Amino acid sequence: MLSLHASHAALTAVDTPLLVIFCHAGNGTPVALPEAVRPVDEALHGALSRTLARRDFRGGRDETFVVTGAERGIERALLVGLGKAPSSRAAWRRAGAIAARAAAKLGCGALHAVATEASAEQVEGLIAGLALGAWTYTDLRTPAPEAERRAPVTAATILLADNDASRAAFAFGEALAAGQSVARRLGMMPGNVCTPDTFVDTAHGIAERHGKVHVSVMGRDDMQREGMGSFLCVAQGTPEEPRLVTVEYRGGAEGAAPIVLVGKGLCFDTGGISIKPAPDMEWMKYDMSGAGGVMGAMETIARLALPVNVVGIVGATTNMPSGTAVKPGDVVRASNGKTIEVINTDAEGRLVLADLLVYAKRFNPAVVLDAATLTGAIVFALGHQAVGLFGPDAALVDEVRGAGERCGEPGWPLPVWDEYREQIKSDVADLRNTGGRPAGSITAALFLQEFVDGYPWVHLDVAGTAYSQTDLGWLPKGPTGTPVGTFVEFVRGRAR
Ligand code: BES
Ligand code: MN
Ligand code: ZN
């Protein structure tokens, strides 16, 4: 991960290969240089102010401009547009990511970013963004020859106002960046590298790095004893040991009811016997993004030592067609006793989550949030712009929506009316695992609700938002970090 540093040094004293300066768009007028950057402009003999006066750079969203500087001191300056003022935390996050990606293209290796005039919220966004933009996953690549290689961005120094609010914002931004990189790394890893045991290792890593964390792990036999026939039917097609991993963070009062985060962890989803078509199937390595989000959030929460109790639960396995795989029409029994007719083996996420939601009850949760790449249908409903939010408690759904909005992971509610329940009634069992094409994301949520026993609950469908199949400009193709930000922001809201 990008190493992040805070500095209160005077700009004139800074030595850097790249100084990043964030600017708002002018209102039909030249962009105004942030006050703090004046001395830099002087040191560069007015190169910055001339650039702005010529309107070479207008401060628009995602806009960048490089001004070459001196041999020492500030070697280059990078102007990055924030769009129109006032700029949100999300706008700074986006600009931070743009800056880091531009720095990577230049091959600078390190950068300094000016945030002396930014609010605490904006600093949080900036740091998360720099880390998002600088993040890479190169474990499986042969490095290019030294002479052709551009240095990746490995260090970023944030120039901050010297006060407690900006110090706290820096710490928060760094912790969020660490959690997002945990989630993105798990997402990017292919299915033969990120296996259920990788979640076990990740959980142990969190416990080793931070205090007040306890990990427990269940395998096939343990789940059998708990009667988790729903989760296990998905895992019966693979020889790989399925894992139910629990990460308990106890930062709050003893005995205080925890927030429980639950994640779908399909290390790969072929569809099983109801096999998916070959084109684009490789993207199903991301079907563990809900579980990756839970792990990432636990990393951030434990790193910040938030004064709250949080339990993360992930269910990890791989959905495979095989001689032992579950078949369409099979009936299985979940750990709450309900029977399920498996109509389509590709609707496996809800089968895994069913037993996890029953399991969550034993922690006496204050609230349970689950995240899952649950349905392709959510992309038809909301595209790639919003997380699908579901739950019977409108105020709680709105609390999650607010958390997502603040951190730049927008979500939007869809209805969970009783009328839709007709679609998941079975002729032979208590439930069927698919409700047909209409309202596919809603019937999936209603299926989950059958396993929610009395506690407040919201389901997040992140199938359209946890990863991107295209380069978004500010973010590369691949894992986005969603829903780490939403989880963390929700928990932080409750911890206040
Ligand atoms: N993991 C998929 C959902 C998915 C699809 C995520 C596309 C990301 C992109 C899930 O397990 C699935 O296959 N759902 C089925 C449900 C259907 C069989 C009722 C789907 O969405 O087609
Ligand atoms: Mn599936
Ligand atoms: Zn799936």
Side-chain angles (χ1 to χ4, degrees):
M1 192 189 103
L2 177 68
S3 91
L4 289 153
H5 310 275
S7 167
H8 310 298
L11 270 169
T12 42
V14 167
D15 277 309
T16 183
L18 187 70
L19 184 74
V20 185
I21 302 162
F22 299 96
C23 303
H24 289 110
N27 232 331
T29 52
V31 168
L33 205 59
E35 201 56 47
V37 183
R38 285 281 157 76
V40 177
D41 188 36
E42 279 161 33
L44 298 176
H45 308 290
L48 295 177
S49 44
R50 275 197 303 280
T51 298
L52 300 181
R54 281 191 208 113
R55 307 199 69 197
D56 288 346
F57 171 81
R58 299 186 176 207
R61 191 176 80 164
D62 296 353
E63 198 182 336
T64 59
F65 195 90
V66 181
V67 178
T68 315
E71 206 174 318
R72 273 187 306 280
I74 289 154
E75 294 171 29
R76 305 172 191 82
L78 174 69
L79 300 168
V80 178
L82 286 162
K84 291 217 170 72
S87 47
S88 64
R89 173 169 152 192
W92 278 75
R93 184 183 64 158
R94 187 177 175 115
I98 289 280
R101 293 196 79 190
K105 278 192 202 123
L106 290 168
C108 287
L111 61 83
H112 280 63
V114 182
T116 38
E117 286 159 42
S119 70
E121 287 257 296
Q122 291 170 336
V123 169
E124 288 174 6
L126 165 62
I127 293 167
L130 286 169
L132 285 172
W135 182 83
T136 54
Y137 177 76
T138 53
D139 293 23
L140 305 177
R141 253 200 237 283
T142 308
E146 191 88 54
E148 286 163 35
R149 215 180 300 162
R150 285 184 188 266
V153 186
T154 53
T157 304
I158 324 298
L159 298 160
L160 292 170
D162 195 357
N163 60 47
D164 287 347
S166 62
R167 266 185 287 275
F170 177 85
F172 177 82
E174 190 192 34
L176 180 58
Q180 283 179 334
S181 92
V182 165
R184 289 173 88 195
R185 184 177 161 74
L186 289 167
M188 193 67 137
M189 289 165 113
N192 62 330
V193 176
C194 175
T195 66
D197 280 327
T198 309
F199 284 93
V200 177
D201 298 344
T202 303
H204 285 141
I206 294 169
E208 276 159 30
R209 281 190 294 280
H210 312 295
K212 301 178 187 166
V213 177
H214 176 77
V215 173
S216 67
V217 179
M218 290 165 68
R220 221 183 276 272
D221 292 347
D222 310 295
M223 288 188 241
Q224 207 102 54
R225 275 192 290 277
E226 296 285 341
M228 297 181 170
S230 186
F231 185 155
L232 283 173
C233 85
V234 178
Q236 80 190 41
T238 171
E240 215 169 56
E241 188 76 3
R243 294 296 185 192
L244 192 164
V245 185
T246 305
V247 182
E248 283 185 74
Y249 167 73
R250 298 281 170 186
E254 203 180 312
I259 297 166
V260 177
L261 307 176
V262 173
K264 168 180 172 180
L266 264 291
C267 294
F268 196 84
D269 177 14
T270 65
I273 297 299
S274 315
I275 196 164
K276 289 179 180 292
D280 279 347
M281 200 207 272
E282 69 278 14
W283 290 94
M284 282 300 116
K285 72 174 182 177
Y286 287 107
D287 211 21
M288 38 48 68
S289 296
V294 170
M295 286 295 170
M298 296 310 295
E299 168 70 31
T300 301
I301 291 159
R303 191 179 267 247
L304 287 171
L306 291 179
V308 62
N309 296 329
V310 186
V311 178
I313 302 171
V314 311
T317 187
T318 304
N319 188 20
M320 296 293 283
S322 85
T324 60
V326 68
K327 308 175 293 299
D330 286 2
V331 174
V332 299
R333 189 184 295 276
S335 46
N336 66 347
K338 289 194 184 180
T339 55
I340 304 159
E341 183 185 8
V342 179
I343 298 293
N344 189 317
T345 67
D346 197 11
E348 85 299 337
R350 65 198 77 183
L351 295 172
V352 170
L353 287 172
D355 282 322
L356 300 185
L357 289 169
V358 174
Y359 183 74
K361 175 76 176 175
R362 76 182 57 183
F363 295 95
N364 180 31
V367 50
V368 176
L369 308 182
D370 81 73
T373 46
L374 201 62
T375 65
I378 200 65
V379 180
F380 290 91
L382 298 173
H384 301 290
Q385 310 305 325
V387 174
L389 302 176
F390 304 84
D393 180 341
L396 184 60
V397 170
D398 200 56
E399 188 181 346
V400 176
R401 192 202 55 73
E405 182 180 83
R406 284 196 298 283
C407 70
E409 294 176 0
W412 203 254
L414 288 166
V416 283
W417 297 322
D418 252 3
E419 283 74 4
Y420 292 109
R421 285 195 57 230
E422 292 303 317
Q423 291 174 236
I424 54 169
K425 285 188 174 156
S426 163
D427 297 336
V428 293
D430 297 331
L431 294 164
R432 45 193 271 151
N433 79 329
T434 64
R437 298 262 278 178
S441 303
I442 294 172
T443 54
L446 283 170
F447 180 91
L448 298 182
Q449 195 172 1
E450 295 291 322
F451 302 89
V452 171
D453 180 7
Y455 52 73
W457 162 75
V458 176
H459 159 59
L460 288 73
D461 194 330
V462 295
T465 46
Y467 62 95
S468 175
Q469 290 180 259
T470 57
D471 190 313
L472 297 171
W474 69 288
L475 273 188
K477 219 196 283 196
T480 60
T482 299
V484 175
T486 308
F487 277 161
V488 169
E489 194 62 26
F490 180 89
V491 168
R492 183 156 76 141
R494 289 272 173 137
R496 273 186 181 135

